[in-house]
Amino acid sequence: QKEVEQDPGPLSVPEGAIVSLNCTYSNSAFQYFMWYRQYSRKGPELLMYTYSSGNKEDGRFTAQVDKSSKYISLFIRDSQPSDSATYLCAGSGGSNYKLTFGKGTLLTVNP
Amino acid sequence: DAGITQSPRYKITETGRQVTLMCHQTWSHSYMFWYRQDLGHGLRLIYYSAAADITDKGEVPDGYVVSRSKTENFPLTLESATRSQTSVYFCAISPKPYEQYFGPGTRLTVT
């Protein structure tokens, strides 16, 4: 079993929809949880990170972590065609800076 | 631009040849990483380095060699390239445990 599981999709939504992306993890040592966005033929870019359980909001994006159920979520409000990308979740214990990534979910937002 | 350059950006080589992929950071961050990204597998860690002259294996190190004589450079060498090493290779730097910044990637094809 991979340490971070993520539904690969693909996920297709109309513009303006609320998008929910989810991951589960198995490593109890994870303290940091990240979401990366990767456009086609580009490197991943850090979107948001959360430390331990809780919510974090940044504009249209909300990251949520529930350590009791080992569940990571990213919500995108008022989705835009420019949000079309692959979204990768990741977890880290923090001690050696290593991240464990999910396989990514391909999102398409249709105008 | 996260201050990371990778070269070459595209490479075609033949089975059995030695290939070196270069990664350079304009910063002086201690931690550097090499990943490969393949359809169906996501990002997989090959090697990482905590400082100059300190390297360690990741998830898929077989067939690869790294060195880090200078903090800013982290080359990855395929000693004898195989078709299974056809992939997109990303280098990353990590200023904090929850932040990794990726280079633009190198697309390697082994024929």
Side-chain angles (χ1 to χ4, degrees), chain A residues 32 36 38 49 96-97 103, chain B residues 31 33 37 40 94 98 100:
Chain A
Y32 297 95
Y36 282 78
Q38 185 176 19
Y49 79 92
N96 58 10
Y97 289 49
K103 292 183 180 180
Chain B
Y31 280 87
F33 301 81
Q37 189 173 38
S94 184
Y98 48 84
Q100 281 193 14

Side-chain angles (χ1 to χ4, degrees), chain A residues 14-89:
Chain A
E15 184 175 351
I18 296 174
V19 176
S20 172
L21 302 168
N22 307 294
C23 294
T24 58
Y25 68 94
S26 58
N27 191 333
S28 299
F30 285 170
Q31 293 291 324
Y32 297 95
F33 304 90
M34 285 66 67
W35 283 96
Y36 282 78
R37 178 175 61 195
Q38 185 176 19
Y39 291 115
S40 180
R41 304 183 78 84
K42 300 287 188 182
E45 56 178 339
L46 179 63
L47 201 55
M48 299 178 69
Y49 79 92
T50 310
Y51 176 72
S52 194
S53 280
N55 292 0
K56 188 170 185 178
E57 189 173 318
D58 184 1
R60 297 184 294 109
F61 298 87
T62 299
Q64 201 170 75
V65 176
D66 182 346
K67 291 192 76 178
S68 63
S69 59
K70 294 188 172 67
Y71 206 77
I72 313 165
S73 300
L74 178 71
F75 299 96
I76 307 173
R77 292 183 299 279
D78 187 25
S79 56
Q80 302 295 309
S82 59
D83 296 328
S84 298
T86 296
Y87 290 80
L88 302 110
C89 60

Side-chain angles (χ1 to χ4, degrees), chain B:
Chain B
D1 182 358
I4 311 168
T5 56
Q6 291 185 237
S7 61
R9 294 292 313 279
Y10 302 89
K11 177 75 176 178
I12 299 174
T13 191
E14 294 176 342
T15 301
R17 294 214 181 234
Q18 184 179 81
V19 177
T20 296
L21 310 184
M22 300 301 297
C23 177
H24 173 79
Q25 61 164 321
T26 56
W27 309 94
S28 296
H29 295 305
S30 296
Y31 280 87
M32 297 185 76
F33 301 81
W34 273 108
Y35 294 90
R36 61 177 291 174
Q37 189 173 38
D38 305 284
L39 206 61
H41 292 280
L43 278 167
R44 292 182 290 176
L45 181 65
I46 305 171
Y47 270 96
Y48 69 103
S49 171
D53 296 322
I54 300 175
T55 62
D56 206 350
K57 296 178 181 179
E59 183 184 352
V60 289
D62 293 343
Y64 303 94
V65 174
V66 293
S67 61
R68 195 166 174 206
S69 57
K70 292 184 177 182
T71 300
E72 61 268 25
N73 296 324
F74 191 34
L76 175 74
T77 298
L78 288 66
E79 294 186 295
S80 178
T82 66
R83 289 195 182 89
S84 65
Q85 293 178 308
T86 292
S87 186
V88 181
Y89 291 85
F90 288 103
C91 176
I93 59 172
S94 184
K96 296 175 184 175
Y98 48 84
E99 289 181 348
Q100 281 193 14
Y101 297 97
F102 287 78
T106 294
R107 291 186 172 270
L108 176 68
T109 301
V110 183
T111 62

